[in-house]
Amino acid sequence: MHNKPPTIKDIAQRLHLSISTVSRALRNASDINPETKKSILQLAEDLNYQPNRLALSLRQNQTNTIGVIVPNLDYVISTMVKGIDEAALEAGFTVIVCQSNESFGREVVNTRRMLNSLVDGFIISISSETKSNEHFKVLSERKIPFVVFDRVIPDLVASSVILDNEEGGFLATEHLIEQGYKKIAILAGPQTLGISNSRLDGYKKAMKKHDIRFDDELVTYCDFNQDFAFYATEELLSSKKRPDAIFAISDRMAIGAMLAIKKKGLKMPEEIGLVGFNNEPSLALFNPSISSVEQPSFEIGKLAGKIFIEQFLNNDFSSHKEVILKPKLVIRESSVRLTRKGN
Amino acid sequence: MHNKPPTIKDIAQRLHLSISTVSRALRNASDINPETKKSILQLAEDLNYQPNRLALSLRQNQTNTIGVIVPNLDYVISTMVKGIDEAALEAGFTVIVCQSNESFGREVVNTRRMLNSLVDGFIISISSETKSNEHFKVLSERKIPFVVFDRVIPDLVASSVILDNEEGGFLATEHLIEQGYKKIAILAGPQTLGISNSRLDGYKKAMKKHDIRFDDELVTYCDFNQDFAFYATEELLSSKKRPDAIFAISDRMAIGAMLAIKKKGLKMPEEIGLVGFNNEPSLALFNPSISSVEQPSFEIGKLAGKIFIEQFLNNDFSSHKEVILKPKLVIRESSVRLTRKGN
DNA sequence: AACGTTTCCGGTATCGTTACCGGAAATATT
DNA sequence: AATATTTCCGGTAACGATACCGGAAACGTT
């Protein structure tokens, strides 16, 4: 029947009231007769009235929407997005997600597009391609709030929620050392990416602590990609400095490494150890199951969401919170060579 | 410096023109002096003018945004969403994704929320909980276009893009039969879900074709969930009708089944065969690697997007396209018992 | 020269909502 | 009883854009 959704105007006409009165009734209730209010609310209910969010946003210059920009939607990030989602839902915000597909260009386009009055601000994890931060400086200039998470933007002050990646790298490496592995290689990510370097730093720190000389021939930079990791591992395994353990800074890379190891016919964990990063659920299902560094993804997302909303509601553009959460090492078969002593 | 983004009004004032003229210049260029137009476009460029999409949408009653409602963002669905994304991008549309988390309540809320002038229409895959279609009937009444994909909505006419699920079930089952498995169990999904039943139908069809009596004790309905599948399989394996093959209608369930099989100590594929559904990438990495029915997820999404956009642009609410795409069986170790004869 | 036709531009209403102001009626105060 | 104060409501102007109408100038036509 009714083709168009009811508006405040429809309600006003039906009740022979002005739209101002109806508007008041539907909002804060000040300056209005309880009786009138009741009848308005009743009719609104009957008509299934829903305020037009476009008009609202246009009028109030506020959309109650958060733009989330992520490089992809893999396991970790989609879990983080669920965290953001939850924080947003609790505060009555809507979330719009855009994948940059690890492409700088799409990141810029998406930002600009959303900026067109579609969102109140952003929660961002940059693409691995992103080196410039020009498109984000615009945000600061226009005083548009944003929070970064997971991967931070270099040289840009902003609130951030990230993992202690150095600690993650340290935990993984020290664990391998304690298991008696001597020549531990690291499959690092793209050199441009902060998380990549931090995990490498943790690796170095653990090596240093245990008086193992750092050997940069055991460091391989490659994309966050199973295939790249596969080839990189093949190369490592056939070099004369053949490592007896590999720390891959993502699970995808760990899987690639594992395939190369299997192809080579090496026994895991006896001849070679392996630790990944992120603790994707499927790792437990492999044979051998793969150890990995777990991060509190959901919490990271939820915190990022909360901080964003808090700063937005308080119009707080100056104070910058920096939250760093701790990772946890999940030990499985791929890296356990020693039988535990005692109980 | 400039705190607010420039508007058409700013341009008009700077050039001592009316906003009408500026608006015309920025749109179709009819009724305007080329010179004036040029200067307007120039200034717009300099100011980095971007039209306010809220105002535009409000005025034109059109948002150029598609609301996508999905039960979750697993591998298959997120691939489909990427397909929708691509179709949308090509046509200048934006996509908003909402997960219902397999919950009927959130599905209703999300639909209502987006309906508030946020989207021009919907592309939907229903949650497994959804039985009623009331919240979608509203769409038909209000003549809001929508296309369903993956999982269709029962008793509701609409354009749809789905997989030939019966064919998928048939392919998997016939393959197991041809491999000499005799007692083939099926881990079916929730009985409420169409895709679940279609795949079961395919299973039955294959059984019938090969003159194998259908035994409903070999049918287990359970959630799309690894744990449920694990327990269901344990039960199957310890029953006196112990099957010698399992067809799981999702890969997650297949993995659950595999864990139960390993726990029981059965050899795969010798003692028991296994086929999954969806062909998630990780299946190739298990030991043994798991066979699965692959669906053209990206194409399904892209087609759904294209059909939506086409019907929307043509204001076509009556014609309903129903596209059914064919699955493909990917055979791996988990189900191959016979050595191929010939070549 | 008087008229009709283009060409080009400005004014105004509108989309649905809220913010602000002002005013009539009802009530309270002196 | 006159005045002050609430209480409650309506009118109007925005938010940023487009659509429609109408009108002045410039041009073409007879």
Side-chain angles (χ1 to χ4, degrees):
Chain A
M1 304 297 131
H2 290 146
N3 223 326
K4 284 192 171 182
T7 73
I8 209 174
K9 198 173 166 186
D10 297 327
I11 298 181
Q13 285 175 343
R14 293 244 235 170
L15 297 178
H16 304 290
L17 291 168
S18 78
I19 55 170
S20 316
T21 308
V22 177
S23 174
R24 267 194 302 267
L26 294 170
R27 285 176 293 132
N28 49 8
S30 86
D31 251 31
I32 188 148
N33 188 325
E35 298 275 326
T36 333
K37 185 181 171 187
K38 198 176 151 193
S39 66
I40 291 174
L41 291 182
Q42 181 61 51
L43 183 58
E45 172 91 358
D46 293 346
L47 294 177
N48 190 21
Y49 167 80
Q50 304 278 120
N52 183 313
R53 291 197 40 172
L54 287 180
L56 236 162
S57 301
L58 179 61
R59 178 63 235 245
Q60 305 196 324
N61 201 27
Q62 179 174 325
T63 59
N64 270 52
T65 303
I66 308 172
V68 174
I69 297 178
V70 293
N72 59 59
L73 278 174
D74 64 15
Y75 170 72
V76 177
I77 298 189
S78 72
T79 308
M80 292 177 176
V81 171
K82 280 188 185 166
I84 297 178
D85 245 323
E86 183 161 299
L89 195 71
E90 286 172 4
F93 277 71
T94 305
V95 171
I96 298 184
V97 183
C98 267
Q99 298 186 52
S100 65
N101 266 39
E102 302 284 1
S103 140
F104 176 69
R106 287 195 66 158
E107 187 172 291
V108 174
V109 169
N110 282 336
T111 312
R112 275 187 47 164
R113 195 158 190 177
M114 287 186 167
L115 205 46
N116 275 355
S117 333
L118 288 188
V119 300
D120 289 336
F122 294 89
I123 298 181
I124 305 168
S125 177
I126 60 169
S127 89
S128 55
E129 260 186 38
T130 303
K131 289 165 197 165
S132 149
N133 58 22
E134 282 304 316
H135 53 311
F136 295 130
K137 279 190 180 160
V138 178
L139 302 185
S140 308
E141 283 167 13
R142 286 205 187 158
K143 303 211 175 189
I144 292 165
F146 65 98
V147 171
V148 300
F149 74 110
D150 186 39
R151 306 176 182 176
V152 300
I153 306 168
D155 305 323
L156 200 64
V157 279
S159 288
S160 59
V161 184
I162 57 171
L163 183 76
D164 188 336
N165 285 291
E166 187 177 322
E167 173 80 4
F170 180 84
L171 285 176
T173 312
E174 181 163 59
H175 163 63
L176 286 169
I177 294 172
E178 286 172 347
Q179 288 293 319
Y181 294 104
K182 302 291 179 198
K183 286 165 67 179
I184 303 170
I186 177 168
L187 292 179
Q191 237 173 322
T192 51
L193 221 47
I195 53 170
S196 183
N197 293 318
S198 302
R199 292 172 194 179
L200 178 58
D201 287 343
Y203 165 88
K204 289 180 184 168
K205 195 172 154 191
M207 299 292 261
K208 191 167 182 182
K209 177 178 169 193
H210 292 270
D211 291 321
I212 305 180
R213 196 179 55 81
F214 171 71
D215 180 355
D216 62 6
E217 285 184 41
L218 289 175
V219 178
T220 306
Y221 298 97
C222 67
D223 263 20
F224 278 121
N225 180 300
Q226 190 171 306
D227 294 335
F228 281 107
F230 177 83
Y231 295 120
T233 306
E234 278 200 319
E235 205 156 311
L236 273 171
L237 295 180
S238 48
S239 75
K240 56 178 190 289
K241 293 223 180 186
R242 174 143 75 87
D244 63 356
I246 293 179
F247 166 40
I249 74 155
S250 93
D251 287 337
R252 294 282 136 190
M253 291 162 69
I255 292 173
M258 180 165 168
L259 292 177
I261 291 169
K262 282 196 173 175
K263 187 179 169 196
K264 190 85 178 178
L266 295 174
K267 280 188 188 165
M268 201 154 84
E270 293 81 0
E271 294 175 300
I272 188 160
L274 179 65
V275 176
F277 209 112
N278 283 344
N279 195 28
E280 292 190 17
S282 63
L283 294 191
L285 306 173
F286 287 98
N287 189 10
S289 56
I290 305 178
S291 303
S292 189
V293 178
E294 179 181 284
Q295 48 176 317
S297 316
F298 187 85
E299 287 74 20
I300 290 181
K302 187 157 181 185
L303 252 173
K306 281 194 165 181
I307 292 178
F308 175 89
I309 290 165
E310 186 194 324
Q311 298 200 341
F312 176 73
L313 294 180
N314 295 338
N315 259 49
D316 176 3
F317 300 101
S318 45
S319 81
H320 295 296
K321 282 196 185 173
E322 298 195 1
V323 181
I324 299 182
L325 298 183
K326 292 291 175 189
K328 202 179 81 184
L329 179 64
V330 177
I331 299 174
R332 298 203 181 83
E333 296 162 357
S334 69
S335 62
V336 176
R337 196 152 66 162
L338 300 178
T339 355
R340 292 261 165 74
K341 293 173 187 169
N343 62 342
Chain B
M1 303 298 131
H2 288 147
N3 222 326
K4 284 192 172 183
T7 71
I8 208 175
K9 196 174 167 186
D10 298 326
I11 298 181
Q13 285 174 344
R14 292 244 234 169
L15 297 178
H16 304 290
L17 289 169
S18 78
I19 54 170
S20 317
T21 308
V22 177
S23 174
R24 268 194 301 268
L26 294 171
R27 284 175 294 132
N28 49 9
S30 85
D31 251 31
I32 186 143
N33 187 328
E35 297 276 326
T36 332
K37 185 180 170 186
K38 200 177 152 194
S39 66
I40 291 175
L41 290 182
Q42 181 61 50
L43 184 57
E45 172 93 358
D46 292 348
L47 294 177
N48 190 21
Y49 168 80
Q50 303 278 119
N52 182 313
R53 291 197 39 173
L54 287 180
L56 238 162
S57 300
L58 180 61
R59 179 63 235 248
Q60 305 194 325
N61 201 28
Q62 181 175 326
T63 59
N64 271 52
T65 302
I66 308 173
V68 175
I69 296 178
V70 293
N72 58 60
L73 278 174
D74 65 16
Y75 170 71
V76 176
I77 298 189
S78 73
T79 308
M80 291 177 177
V81 171
K82 279 188 186 166
I84 297 178
D85 245 323
E86 184 159 300
L89 195 71
E90 287 172 4
F93 277 72
T94 304
V95 170
I96 298 184
V97 183
C98 268
Q99 298 185 52
S100 65
N101 265 27
E102 303 282 2
S103 138
F104 176 69
R106 286 194 67 157
E107 187 171 290
V108 174
V109 169
N110 283 335
T111 312
R112 276 187 47 163
R113 197 158 190 177
M114 287 187 167
L115 204 47
N116 277 355
S117 334
L118 288 186
V119 300
D120 289 335
F122 294 89
I123 298 181
I124 304 167
S125 177
I126 59 168
S127 89
S128 55
E129 260 186 37
T130 303
K131 289 164 198 168
S132 149
N133 58 22
E134 282 303 317
H135 53 312
F136 295 131
K137 279 190 180 160
V138 178
L139 303 184
S140 307
E141 283 167 13
R142 285 204 188 158
K143 302 210 176 189
I144 292 164
F146 65 98
V147 171
V148 300
F149 74 109
D150 186 38
R151 306 176 182 176
V152 298
I153 305 168
D155 305 322
L156 200 64
V157 279
S159 288
S160 60
V161 184
I162 58 172
L163 182 75
D164 187 337
N165 285 292
E166 188 177 320
E167 173 81 3
F170 181 84
L171 285 175
T173 312
E174 181 164 58
H175 164 63
L176 286 169
I177 295 173
E178 286 171 348
Q179 288 294 321
Y181 294 104
K182 301 293 179 196
K183 286 164 69 178
I184 303 169
I186 175 168
L187 290 178
Q191 236 173 321
T192 50
L193 221 48
I195 54 171
S196 182
N197 294 316
S198 302
R199 291 172 193 179
L200 178 58
D201 287 343
Y203 164 86
K204 289 181 185 170
K205 194 171 154 192
M207 299 292 261
K208 191 166 181 182
K209 178 179 169 192
H210 291 270
D211 291 320
I212 305 179
R213 197 178 55 80
F214 171 71
D215 180 356
D216 61 6
E217 285 184 39
L218 289 174
V219 178
T220 306
Y221 297 98
C222 69
D223 264 19
F224 278 120
N225 179 300
Q226 190 171 306
D227 295 334
F228 280 107
F230 177 82
Y231 295 121
T233 306
E234 279 201 317
E235 204 155 313
L236 274 171
L237 295 181
S238 48
S239 74
K240 56 178 190 289
K241 293 222 179 186
R242 174 142 76 85
D244 63 354
I246 293 179
F247 166 39
I249 73 157
S250 94
D251 287 338
R252 293 283 136 189
M253 289 161 70
I255 291 172
M258 181 165 166
L259 291 177
I261 291 169
K262 282 196 173 176
K263 187 179 170 197
K264 189 85 178 177
L266 294 174
K267 281 189 187 166
M268 201 155 85
E270 294 81 359
E271 295 175 299
I272 190 161
L274 179 64
V275 176
F277 209 111
N278 283 346
N279 196 26
E280 293 189 17
S282 64
L283 294 190
L285 306 172
F286 286 98
N287 189 11
S289 58
I290 305 178
S291 304
S292 189
V293 178
E294 178 180 285
Q295 48 177 318
S297 315
F298 188 85
E299 287 74 19
I300 288 180
K302 188 158 181 185
L303 253 172
K306 281 195 164 179
I307 291 178
F308 175 88
I309 290 164
E310 186 194 323
Q311 298 199 342
F312 176 73
L313 294 180
N314 295 337
N315 258 49
D316 176 3
F317 299 102
S318 45
S319 80
H320 295 297
K321 281 197 187 173
E322 298 194 2
V323 181
I324 299 181
L325 298 182
K326 292 292 175 188
K328 202 179 82 183
L329 179 64
V330 177
I331 299 173
R332 297 202 181 84
E333 295 161 357
S334 70
S335 63
V336 175
R337 196 151 69 162
L338 302 178
T339 356
R340 291 264 164 72
K341 294 172 188 171
N343 65 342

